[in-house]
Amino acid sequence: MVAASASIRRILVMTTILDSTLTAAQRSAVEHIDGPLLILAGPGSGKTRVVTHRIAYLTQQGVSPRQIVALTFTNKAADEMRHRVESLVTRAGEFHLSTFHRFCSRLLRRYASLVGLGEHFTIYDTDDSARALRHTLEKAGISNTTFSPRQIASEISRAKNNLVEADRYEPPNGLPLGTVVAEIYPLYQQQLLSASAVDFDDLLLHVAVLLRENPELRKTLDEEFKYVLIDEYQDTNFAQYAILRALSQDHPNLAATGDPDQSIFGWRGANIENILRFEEDFPAVRVVRLEQNYRSTKSILRVADKLIVHNLNRKHKELFTDNPEGNPVELTCYVDQREEANAIARHIVEEIDSGRRRAQDFGIFYRINALSRTLELALREHGVPYQLVRGLEFFQRKEIKDIIAYLQLINNPSDDVAFLRTLNTPRRGIGKKTLQCLTRHSEEHGISLLESARSAGMIGQIAKRSAVRVATFVAIIDELSEKAAAPLEELMGLVMSNSGYHESLAHSDNEEDLERLANIEELLTLAREFDAQHPEAACLEVFLEEIALVGDTDDWEEETDRATLMTLHAAKGLEFPVVFLIAAEEGLLPHERSREDPDQIEEERRLLFVGITRAQQELKISIARRRDFRGQRRLTIPSQFLMELPRDELRMADSEGLGGYDGDEEPDAGAIARKVAKRHEAASGEAPPLTTAAELGKGQPIGGSRPIAETFSIDSESFHVGMPVAHPKYGLGKIAALSGPAQRRTATVNFVTAGVRKFRLHESPLRPVGRKP
């Protein structure tokens, strides 16, 4: 009787697991037991449901929960998986459900001694790792290397993710950075081992090496974890690939779920080839395609599908949905980014006020964080509550706070907090001992740290070299203070140039540094707008006061009912009833650094695909005719990806009230480009830069894009901070600052031999280096 009752319970649970709502494809994946399995899961296809139901099904077939490992990439995804499994089986606590890094950490705890670690080793976060690296550089006596610790850390991370150990590292193609890393990497690893510590990359590296160099251990773990399920397989790097292969040799029951069309983290080490070659790695694999989308409307899904077929490195899928047809995808061209942001904010307000939507229904996506500032301001002005996902508000970002700290110190020399933030930012080789001496001196004499720094040469405990560096910093602040009454854009440009902050980021090829560079250059755009609104002189203090108020958080930021601003990368795994996708322009999407590499162009296209497929009911894509970005005003070029969207699926709109593109013109992005060109020609009396569909891609994109009227004359908008220039009398120089409107735009130039000079650009023979006068 007891056995019969248990059998009945088992049948009931099985019925729950294999309920009638599973599609044939989903059921095929859930019922698969032994052998490799590849689940190609399109966006919104219920892959998490399939994975969790399969875990439950395996247990009902007699597989011990302790033999099942299910891995994903974020704690949120792991928690969601665990919650769903718990709703299906009673022994969920026995499963190994976690992130990849947490799983590796647990393994490493068990076998720490095999890699020279203590059982209670410390896991360093990013800041801890950075401190350890800086300490290593200082001990090696090369703390003044031309490469920043962040650049060195990035290259070490790349090496570890590719299973290149410290004693086997060789500089790639003889690059100078690689030469420095070849010296530092072994010392850094020794520093970690001496402290019985690991960084995040070590969690993968050490486990992969353990499995490779200990065959018996690998065999033991392969037996222990007979069934391995990995989600988002397209995001795995080489180290993770090696670990998964090692655990699936004797018992090749590896189930990989993913979508090559959503592989967007190549810059972070993810290798799309891992999923593309899965069938070569496991010839006996069963391939299941989840093609039914449960998220988006038919119109949105068709647009996404027509876009992604232009990629070559992919696994073909036929996406479809039983959802309603829905509204057409909208593509709107705005005059500039301010009109774009205000229109989005107004639309959200109207939808909320009408009761049709809540703030949380809206997601606003952009390619890089620097584009969020105008949106943040517009949402504030219209009273729309919002949140930034995986980002900080513009004025709370480190690089922005660094530049603002210079302005604060200029405005108030007694501001010790600003002094501490700017003294070694960017790095000037001023150490803790020197700072301790300055602090002691200021306390003994009751003066500010800046005043104390003026006496550095007289403080006996400070080495002469350090005193010189401190004096150099003081001279920079004094020189900038003399310009405190200058237009804000000019002063801010001088801060970035004279401090070395702009140059320290501009010479980096690190993704994070380039993002920071874009952000501080966007600060120049803000300064220019501020000058236009405050033509009176000496308005620095007014600006700082406004910044302080903007940075203050309001009560509504703690609420959950908020619109969401995020990069396209951050949007992965999320969904919203309404999605705004802004700045679909060359140089931004695709990003300017991708245009020469076909593989990177494909990743950028996948990024747009991910953004489109986050939308459930409405998708609104936008471009601007001109965009103030990174301190420059540019006529934009519509993204080449817009030309790949199905024209009959789009509703084209023009912000100046022209409505859709009917009549003789084709309703595509090229039509928008042609209208932009016609308006520019009518307004200026001259032909515009190349912006038509036929000419798309022949010009340089924004950020290296064609400035207004550049083809015919060098106008004031062609210049930007940091640009090398030439003058027939003064020779070569570099622009340190800019200020003023177009016809009265002024440049401050640091010449190599002639010192600092100022020019009214409209009347000057000044030319960018490499261009004909």
Side-chain angles (χ1 to χ4, degrees), residues 94-344:
E94 299 180 24
F95 294 98
H96 302 277
L97 308 180
S98 71
T99 64
F100 212 119
H101 283 81
R102 185 177 296 276
F103 173 72
C104 288
S105 174
R106 291 171 179 168
L107 278 183
L108 201 54
R109 294 282 180 200
R110 290 164 58 178
Y111 305 103
S113 61
L114 295 180
V115 295
L117 290 167
E119 179 183 356
H120 302 291
F121 64 80
T122 300
I123 301 174
Y124 280 169
D125 62 16
T126 303
D127 288 340
D128 292 331
S129 301
R131 290 190 183 96
L133 180 58
R134 286 195 295 269
H135 185 55
T136 303
L137 288 167
E138 291 168 1
K139 289 201 302 184
I142 56 173
S143 57
N144 292 325
T145 175
T146 56
F147 299 102
S148 69
R150 186 176 293 107
Q151 290 173 282
I152 296 171
S154 180
E155 175 59 15
I156 291 176
S157 177
R158 186 198 66 80
K160 289 183 176 183
N161 286 331
N162 284 287
L163 296 187
V164 179
E165 297 173 82
D167 58 351
R168 298 180 181 179
Y169 178 86
E170 295 182 359
N173 301 321
L175 294 176
L177 173 60
T179 303
V180 175
V181 171
E183 180 180 358
I184 293 301
Y185 185 9
L187 300 176
Y188 170 66
Q189 283 304 99
Q190 185 56 51
Q191 171 78 16
L192 293 176
L193 288 174
S194 297
S196 190
V198 297
D199 59 24
F200 285 144
D201 295 318
D202 281 332
L203 292 174
L204 304 178
L205 174 65
H206 284 318
V207 171
V209 171
L210 275 174
L211 295 171
R212 184 184 67 198
E213 297 184 353
N214 297 274
E216 289 303 316
L217 175 60
R218 186 213 62 75
K219 189 176 182 67
T220 298
L221 293 176
D222 197 339
E223 178 70 25
E224 180 177 351
F225 307 123
K226 286 186 177 180
Y227 295 86
V228 180
L229 299 85
I230 173 71
D231 194 14
E232 305 290 3
Y233 189 66
Q234 77 280 350
D235 293 336
T236 55
N237 58 32
F238 182 69
Q240 291 160 330
Y241 167 82
I243 292 169
L244 293 169
R245 288 298 309 274
L247 294 176
S248 307
Q249 291 184 22
D250 304 321
H251 301 279
N253 302 320
L254 177 62
T257 302
D259 182 6
D261 291 340
Q262 298 183 69
S263 178
I264 59 175
F265 294 107
W267 55 274
R268 206 167 62 187
N271 187 354
I272 192 175
E273 291 299 321
N274 291 348
I275 192 169
L276 292 178
R277 69 184 181 208
F278 192 90
E279 293 166 86
E280 298 176 18
D281 293 337
F282 298 94
V285 63
R286 172 184 286 185
V287 179
V288 176
R289 286 175 166 79
L290 302 183
E291 298 170 315
Q292 182 169 358
N293 178 284
Y294 298 93
R295 175 186 299 150
S296 305
T297 62
K298 287 183 173 66
S299 60
I300 292 172
L301 198 62
R302 284 196 298 269
V303 168
D305 201 28
K306 292 295 185 181
L307 170 73
I308 203 61
V309 295
H310 288 83
N311 272 8
L312 300 178
N313 293 319
R314 64 188 300 260
K315 297 280 189 178
H316 180 69
K317 297 184 298 299
E318 294 286 347
L319 301 180
F320 69 95
T321 183
D322 290 335
N323 289 340
E325 177 67 24
N327 295 328
V329 173
E330 292 184 11
L331 175 58
T332 304
C333 179
Y334 295 99
V335 172
D336 56 26
Q337 79 275 6
R338 292 174 66 87
E339 184 187 53
E340 178 183 54
N342 284 322
I344 290 172

Side-chain angles (χ1 to χ4, degrees), residues 648-672:
D648 56 338
E649 297 284 351
L650 302 180
R651 176 187 295 156
M652 314 299 289
D654 185 282
S655 66
E656 291 189 352
L658 296 182
Y661 282 73
D662 301 318
D664 297 332
E665 290 201 81
E666 299 173 351
D668 62 3
I672 283 185

Side-chain angles (χ1 to χ4, degrees), residues 471-488:
T472 300
F473 170 75
V474 172
I476 290 172
I477 297 301
D478 287 346
E479 184 178 358
L480 291 171
S481 296
E482 294 176 0
K483 299 291 184 180
L488 183 62

Side-chain angles (χ1 to χ4, degrees), residues 260-529:
D261 291 340
Q262 298 183 69
S263 178
I264 59 175
F265 294 107
W267 55 274
R268 206 167 62 187
N271 187 354
I272 192 175
E273 291 299 321
N274 291 348
I275 192 169
L276 292 178
R277 69 184 181 208
F278 192 90
E279 293 166 86
E280 298 176 18
D281 293 337
F282 298 94
V285 63
R286 172 184 286 185
V287 179
V288 176
R289 286 175 166 79
L290 302 183
E291 298 170 315
Q292 182 169 358
N293 178 284
Y294 298 93
R295 175 186 299 150
S296 305
T297 62
K298 287 183 173 66
S299 60
I300 292 172
L301 198 62
R302 284 196 298 269
V303 168
D305 201 28
K306 292 295 185 181
L307 170 73
I308 203 61
V309 295
H310 288 83
N311 272 8
L312 300 178
N313 293 319
R314 64 188 300 260
K315 297 280 189 178
H316 180 69
K317 297 184 298 299
E318 294 286 347
L319 301 180
F320 69 95
T321 183
D322 290 335
N323 289 340
E325 177 67 24
N327 295 328
V329 173
E330 292 184 11
L331 175 58
T332 304
C333 179
Y334 295 99
V335 172
D336 56 26
Q337 79 275 6
R338 292 174 66 87
E339 184 187 53
E340 178 183 54
N342 284 322
I344 290 172
R346 284 195 302 270
H347 180 83
I348 293 176
V349 169
E350 291 170 1
E351 291 290 283
I352 293 174
D353 289 347
S354 70
R356 290 188 293 267
R357 300 283 185 193
R358 300 178 61 184
Q360 65 187 23
D361 293 339
F362 298 92
I364 308 174
F365 304 160
Y366 35 80
R367 175 62 177 84
I368 60 174
N369 276 315
L371 294 172
S372 74
R373 181 188 63 82
T374 306
L375 291 165
E376 291 178 53
L377 293 175
L379 292 175
R380 281 198 185 94
E381 289 175 0
H382 289 81
V384 178
Y386 71 92
Q387 62 179 329
L388 285 167
V389 175
R390 296 184 192 174
L392 299 170
E393 286 200 47
F394 187 80
F395 294 111
Q396 296 302 313
R397 292 170 183 147
K398 178 188 180 300
E399 59 274 17
I400 301 303
K401 291 176 72 69
D402 288 341
I403 299 301
I404 297 301
Y406 275 97
L407 298 177
Q408 290 169 330
L409 188 58
I410 293 168
N411 186 63
N412 178 14
S414 297
D415 190 339
D416 286 349
V417 172
F419 176 90
L420 289 171
R421 189 173 189 105
T422 56
L423 177 64
N424 219 20
T425 307
R427 288 179 61 83
R428 297 185 174 90
I430 300 173
K432 292 182 179 178
K433 183 178 179 180
T434 300
L435 182 55
Q436 290 171 353
C437 292
L438 291 175
T439 302
R440 190 182 308 116
H441 184 79
S442 69
E443 292 174 349
E444 291 174 353
H445 293 80
I447 58 177
S448 69
L449 284 173
L450 182 58
E451 283 302 310
S452 180
R454 297 186 192 282
S455 305
M458 306 297 292
I459 301 175
Q461 297 90 339
I462 297 180
K464 183 176 180 181
R465 179 182 299 178
S466 296
V468 170
R469 291 169 179 164
V470 172
T472 300
F473 170 75
V474 172
I476 290 172
I477 297 301
D478 287 346
E479 184 178 358
L480 291 171
S481 296
E482 294 176 0
K483 299 291 184 180
L488 183 62
E489 185 187 14
E490 178 182 341
L491 176 60
M492 198 172 289
L494 290 172
V495 165
M496 295 178 188
S497 300
N498 294 5
S499 68
Y501 201 101
H502 187 279
E503 187 174 11
S504 70
L505 298 177
H507 290 171
S508 173
D509 57 1
N510 179 272
E511 179 83 8
E512 293 180 359
D513 283 344
L514 295 173
E515 182 86 3
R516 290 185 174 95
L517 178 63
N519 286 337
I520 68 168
E521 289 181 338
E522 183 66 5
L523 195 57
L524 291 171
T525 296
L526 173 64
R528 182 175 182 175
E529 294 172 356

